Amino acid sequence: MKWRCEHCGKPHERNDPPCDNCGHSEFEKAVVPMAPEADDEEASKTYAWICTECGNDHPKHTPPCDRCGNATLERRELSYDEDEIVSEMLEDSSGRTPSADVSYLEVLDAKLVLLFLGVAALVAYLALGFLGIVQIPGISPAPPVPGNATAADGLVFADVESAYVDELNARRSADGFANLTADGNLASAATYINQQVVRAQYTDESPTIDESEVGSRLGDACADGYAPATYSYDLDRASDTPTERELARRLAASYDQTRSFEEAPEAVIGVDLHAGPDGVLYVTRIVC
């Protein structure tokens, strides 16, 4: 036969007080079984013994109060106001004493909420960096290079670069030196260096040339070292619009170190042209 608490009526399988609901120390035999509805409703309630002096709650009827020593405890059904509990938690995190006993295991700690918000803000910041909306070194993609990397005034830079190598080889052949061979790896490294130079000229940033990036683009082509050179040519100051080949001739002639370059024993070359927003051409060549 089942037993129930004399005080709150909660049923128990054995006569083994105290009551695990209200803490009462006496059970009685259950003469009339409780209706299932009553069982469910009663089981869903939570009770505590509240001190009539200071309001401290106790899980069982065990006077005196463990806070103020008052001998009178009153059984009450517990109910929680979530807004009030969170407010008290926030007050407690700021160094003030909360107005009621609230277990940190029963509500979400305000500090944990702040941690989650901080992580969310960091993830959002990194996402903006990946998208290029904000610049994060090492994460954000490089911003576009000012100007034009392929053409200017109807001149196709790929044709100018090819004619530029032919012009240098013509000068070398006249002096008895072997021809230079255009190399894709050197051209890629020359493009990287040239674009960094253009960024430095037309943006507020201070781009630097990463030697490891240059080395990765060169590969094994320049194991014994390489000789880079960068200079500019103002296309708008020309009295006419030259052809690709004529522009290549002028670019080769405009560099005051061309003679020493022509006499060097290098075998491969990479060239890149880039037009700035103001029409100035930037030329970078690498030989090894």
Side-chain angles (χ1 to χ4, degrees):
M1 179 179 292
K2 291 185 177 180
W3 296 79
R4 66 183 180 186
C5 175
E6 288 183 348
H7 189 274
C8 68
K10 182 176 180 181
H12 297 74
E13 291 294 335
R14 294 179 300 173
N15 184 17
D16 185 21
C19 174
D20 56 14
N21 184 54
C22 68
H24 190 66
S25 60
E26 295 293 335
F27 288 176
E28 64 180 0
K29 290 185 178 181
V31 178
V32 180
M34 299 180 64
E37 293 79 4
D39 283 343
D40 295 341
E41 181 180 355
E42 191 67 27
S44 65
K45 296 179 181 179
T46 303
Y47 296 91
W49 291 87
I50 310 300
C51 175
T52 57
E53 289 292 333
C54 69
N56 187 32
D57 60 275
H58 305 74
K60 295 184 179 182
H61 186 251
T62 54
C65 173
D66 56 14
R67 175 187 288 174
C68 68
N70 178 40
T72 305
L73 304 180
E74 183 180 87
R75 180 176 176 269
R76 298 177 189 172
E77 181 182 350
L78 295 181
S79 62
Y80 297 100
D81 185 331
E82 294 183 0
D83 293 337
E84 180 182 353
I85 290 174
V86 172
S87 176
E88 290 177 350
M89 291 289 292
L90 292 174
E91 290 179 359
D92 183 57
S93 65
S94 65
R96 290 176 288 180
T97 303
S99 59
D101 291 334
V102 180
S103 172
Y104 285 89
L105 300 177
E106 295 176 355
V107 296
L108 186 64
D109 191 343
K111 294 180 180 179
L112 187 58
V113 174
L114 295 177
L115 175 61
F116 284 146
L117 292 176
V119 172
L122 177 61
V123 171
Y125 178 66
L126 293 177
L128 293 175
F130 279 116
L131 295 175
I133 298 176
V134 296
Q135 291 298 312
I136 304 176
I139 294 180
S140 302
V145 183
N148 196 315
T150 58
D153 292 344
L155 301 172
V156 179
F157 288 165
D159 294 338
V160 178
E161 292 163 358
S162 177
Y164 183 88
V165 175
D166 292 342
E167 177 65 23
L168 293 180
N169 280 335
R171 294 174 178 237
R172 288 171 61 90
S173 296
D175 293 331
F177 294 99
N179 287 344
L180 298 169
T181 302
D183 183 86
N185 289 340
L186 271 69
S188 175
T191 299
Y192 167 74
I193 294 174
N194 211 21
Q195 290 181 349
Q196 294 298 92
V197 171
V198 173
R199 282 196 180 99
Q201 292 293 325
Y202 296 99
T203 68
D204 294 333
E205 301 177 10
S206 300
T208 57
I209 296 176
D210 185 350
E211 291 298 332
S212 63
E213 176 68 18
V214 176
S216 66
R217 290 172 180 254
L218 289 175
D220 297 330
C222 298
D224 297 330
Y226 63 94
T230 299
Y231 59 100
S232 61
Y233 177 84
D234 194 345
L235 186 60
D236 290 343
R237 291 187 177 182
S239 58
D240 57 349
T241 301
T243 64
E244 280 87 352
R245 185 161 296 278
E246 175 60 23
L247 176 59
R249 187 191 66 77
R250 294 179 185 180
L251 292 176
S254 67
Y255 187 49
D256 57 5
Q257 297 183 25
T258 296
R259 174 58 57 185
S260 60
F261 168 77
E262 291 169 0
E263 297 175 355
E266 288 83 359
V268 289
I269 182 173
V271 183
D272 180 76
L273 269 69
H274 193 105
D278 53 2
V280 175
L281 290 181
Y282 290 84
V283 184
T284 294
R285 67 188 185 193
I286 297 179
V287 294
C288 64

